[in-house]
């Protein structure tokens, strides 16, 4: 938890070499009155890493005065929002899953040189996928910072070992959200520890329901038709194995056997094969009416209202480096129960904001959920700890400033 101590009370420096003005000196061309920053995203899908970079771009532009160019290695529904921030350079053909032929590689090199000639000198590359272009930027003269969010299982599943080694060889600095992620990345990347920095991302979307949970709960109960006595358990994410939608449903059935008044809500994609299997299983278990799925929720206020209306958040992921949804849940005042060894978010739970249970232990997770539902004072105290952690240590502008 050294990062908690390091960043817990830091104020923004003024006039030193980490002030945005210093970055501006390094990235401003003689004919351009605004400093320039290039940011690389592996695609523009509506997921956590891409949303994080989008909000980084927005802070760079609106609060720090940068002219931002985004390089996209794949398409997605967030592209118009990236375009609203600044120029988008299209590296989507072929997308990142396909190795580019020599002529495409040469075209990308020309685009990167164009950005350098326009005055850009620094690039923020987001996710391990962006390792595919790190060398191109370094050879063009850029200083390269990479944000790594991935753990070894995902890296292997997506065949990113080569991109990770490129990061290890060519990146000037690699930022990890937690020691847990760094310690698993170093052995497979060849990155020296001296180029690794621990800095968890800030909360880019503070909840408007932070002090309006009763209102959020009333809205959720009215919309769902659930009884006023219902205790509500909520989780969010893609309906896949990594996010543990199956574990969430299995825990729900265990809890419902003893606490029929409890209701469970999954926020996120429920069209995957695994999600459909889970729904069929819940139907056969007689729990379908008490475990519901919203589908994808793109309206941030709606998503935050659903979180704030609940009583607690079980982090069902099998592998999740440092998910923003945990920060969102803590900001809303929800205690979080999670699997030990599933990601760096465990450091926050150990700080008093929740409970860790043995990895993939459904019975232990169900017991933790039931225990927090049975002890509202204890759950409320954890929620207060979580809110204090978020308020004091996860300012998003500070996070972007530290990246600069």
């Amino acid at each position: 938890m050294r990062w908690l101590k390091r960043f817990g009370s830091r104020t923004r420096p003024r006039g030193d070499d980490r002030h945005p003005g210093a970055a501006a000196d390094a990235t401003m061309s003689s004919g351009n009155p605004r400093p320039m920053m290039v940011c690389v995203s592996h695609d523009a899908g509506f997921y956590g890493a891409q949303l994080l970079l989008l909000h980084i771009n927005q802070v760079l532009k609106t609060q720090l005065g940068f002219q931002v160019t985004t390089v996209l290695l794949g398409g997605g529904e967030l592209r118009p929002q990236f375009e609203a921030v600044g120029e988008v350079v299209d590296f989507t053909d072929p997308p990142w899953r396909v190795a580019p032929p020599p002529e495409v590689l040469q075209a990308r090199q020309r685009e990167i040189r164009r950005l350098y000639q326009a005055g850009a000198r620094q690039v923020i590359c987001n996710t391990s996928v962006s390792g595919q272009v790190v060398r191109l930027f370094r050879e063009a003269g850029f200083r390269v910072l990479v944000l790594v969010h991935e753990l070894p299982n995902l890296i292997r599943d997506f065949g990113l070992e080569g991109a990770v080694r490129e990061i290890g060889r060519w990146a000037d600095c690699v930022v990890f959200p937690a020691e847990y992620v760094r310690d698993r990345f170093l052995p497979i990347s060849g990155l020296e520890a001296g180029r690794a920095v621990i800095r968890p991302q800030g909360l880019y979307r503070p909840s408007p329901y932070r002090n309006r949970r009763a209102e959020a709960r009333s809205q959720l109960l009215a919309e769902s038709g659930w009884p006023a006595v219902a205790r509500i358990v909520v989780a969010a994410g893609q309906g896949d194995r990594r996010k543990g939608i199956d574990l969430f449903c299995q825990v729900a059935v265990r809890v419902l056997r003893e606490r029929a008044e409890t209701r469970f809500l999954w926020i996120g994609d429920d069209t995957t094969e695994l999600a459909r299997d889970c729904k069929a299983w819940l139907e056969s278990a007689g729990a379908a009416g008490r475990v519901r799925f919203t589908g994808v929720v793109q309206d941030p206020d709606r998503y935050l209202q659903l979180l704030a209306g609940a009583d607690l958040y079980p982090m069902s992921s099998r592998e999740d480096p440092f998910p923003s949804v945990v920060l969102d849940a803590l900001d809303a005042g929800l205690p979080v129960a999670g699997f030990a060894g599933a990601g760096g978010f465990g450091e926050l739970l150990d700080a008093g904001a929740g409970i860790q249970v043995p990895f993939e232990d459904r019975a232990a997770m169900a017991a933790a959920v039931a225990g927090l539902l049975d002890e509202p004072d204890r759950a409320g105290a954890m929620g207060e700890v979580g809110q204090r952690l978020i308020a004091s240590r996860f300012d998003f502008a500070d996070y972007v400033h530290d990246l600069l």
Side-chain angles (χ1 to χ4, degrees):
M1 290 174 54
R2 287 193 293 273
W3 60 265
L4 284 174
K5 297 175 183 176
R6 179 179 176 188
F7 294 105
S9 61
R10 193 185 67 79
T11 57
R12 296 186 200 171
R14 297 295 178 186
D16 67 8
D17 63 358
R18 302 213 311 156
H19 188 272
D25 292 341
T27 58
M28 190 180 298
S29 66
S30 58
N32 186 355
R34 301 177 66 195
M36 299 180 67
M37 182 68 71
V38 180
C39 297
V40 178
S41 181
H42 69 270
D43 66 28
F46 191 82
Y47 300 106
Q50 297 90 323
L51 286 165
L52 173 65
L53 186 67
L54 176 63
H55 285 84
I56 289 172
N57 290 4
Q58 290 170 343
V59 170
L60 287 170
K61 177 184 178 180
T62 62
Q63 297 187 36
L64 301 177
F66 277 80
Q67 177 181 324
V68 180
T69 295
T70 302
V71 176
L72 290 180
L73 306 181
E77 57 267 50
L78 289 178
R79 177 165 181 152
Q81 296 187 50
F82 280 109
E83 291 175 336
V85 176
E87 177 190 15
V88 168
V89 174
D90 195 329
F91 282 6
T92 65
D93 186 19
W96 64 265
R97 294 174 186 268
V98 180
E103 62 272 17
V104 171
L105 192 61
Q106 292 167 6
R108 292 179 177 181
Q109 290 172 320
R110 289 194 294 271
E111 276 295 302
I112 291 171
R113 286 197 297 269
R114 176 185 67 83
L115 293 172
Y116 187 89
Q117 291 164 0
R121 296 291 184 272
Q122 301 181 70
V123 58
I124 297 173
C125 295
N126 191 40
T127 81
S128 295
V129 176
S130 64
Q132 298 176 356
V133 297
V134 165
R135 180 175 182 171
L136 301 182
F137 278 98
R138 270 296 299 275
E139 290 180 337
F142 280 79
R143 182 166 176 80
V144 181
L145 181 146
V146 181
L147 309 180
V148 168
H149 314 284
E150 295 76 33
L151 292 169
N153 285 339
L154 186 145
I155 289 169
R156 286 191 294 268
D157 289 347
F158 284 89
L160 297 175
E161 293 91 342
V164 163
R165 288 192 292 270
E166 288 288 283
I167 292 171
R169 181 176 180 184
W170 296 101
D172 290 285
C173 180
V174 182
V175 179
F176 299 91
E179 292 178 3
Y180 180 93
V181 185
R182 179 202 61 192
D183 293 346
R184 285 153 181 79
F185 186 87
L186 295 183
I188 62 177
S189 66
L191 179 73
E192 300 95 344
R195 288 188 283 137
V197 175
I198 307 299
R199 181 47 162 114
Q201 72 267 23
L203 181 75
Y204 55 75
R205 188 175 46 205
S207 175
Y209 292 92
R210 197 172 193 271
N211 299 308
R212 298 160 52 200
R213 290 187 62 191
E215 176 187 340
R217 176 180 172 83
S218 295
Q219 290 178 337
L220 179 52
L221 291 175
E223 295 164 359
S224 63
W226 287 338
V229 296
R231 307 301 303 280
I232 302 172
V233 180
V234 63
Q238 177 80 356
D240 58 21
R241 187 178 185 279
R242 185 172 73 89
K243 293 292 185 178
I245 190 173
D246 56 322
L247 299 178
F248 176 81
C249 294
Q250 292 163 21
V251 168
V253 169
R254 286 176 179 267
V255 174
L256 287 168
R257 289 172 185 160
E258 304 295 332
R259 292 164 180 78
E261 78 284 356
T262 309
R263 298 294 183 269
F264 289 79
L265 184 68
W266 182 272
I267 306 170
D269 183 11
D270 60 345
T271 64
T272 64
E273 181 178 358
L274 181 58
R276 293 195 298 269
D277 289 345
C278 287
K279 290 180 183 179
W281 180 75
L282 290 168
E283 189 74 37
S284 66
R290 291 173 289 173
V291 183
R292 296 187 182 177
F293 304 83
T294 67
V296 176
V297 175
Q298 294 198 2
D299 179 355
D301 283 350
R302 169 65 173 163
Y303 156 72
L304 293 171
Q305 177 250 315
L306 292 171
L307 277 184
D311 293 286
L312 68 92
Y313 191 99
M315 187 63 189
S316 58
S317 291
R318 290 177 168 90
E319 183 178 87
D320 226 329
F322 202 87
S324 293
V325 68
V326 169
L327 304 184
D328 292 332
L330 296 180
D331 188 49
L334 274 62
V336 175
F339 291 120
F345 60 87
E347 299 173 7
L348 289 170
L349 308 192
D350 289 344
I355 302 173
Q356 292 200 76
V357 302
F359 185 70
E360 286 193 279
D361 189 329
R362 286 84 161 162
M365 178 65 84
V369 168
L372 289 171
L373 292 176
D374 290 344
E375 301 179 66
D377 289 344
R378 180 182 174 220
M382 289 181 176
E384 290 176 1
V385 169
Q387 285 188 322
R388 288 197 297 270
L389 283 173
I390 295 299
S392 63
R393 298 165 179 169
F394 289 90
D395 180 84
F396 195 71
D398 279 351
Y399 169 68
V400 178
H401 189 275
D402 285 336
L403 298 183
L404 294 180

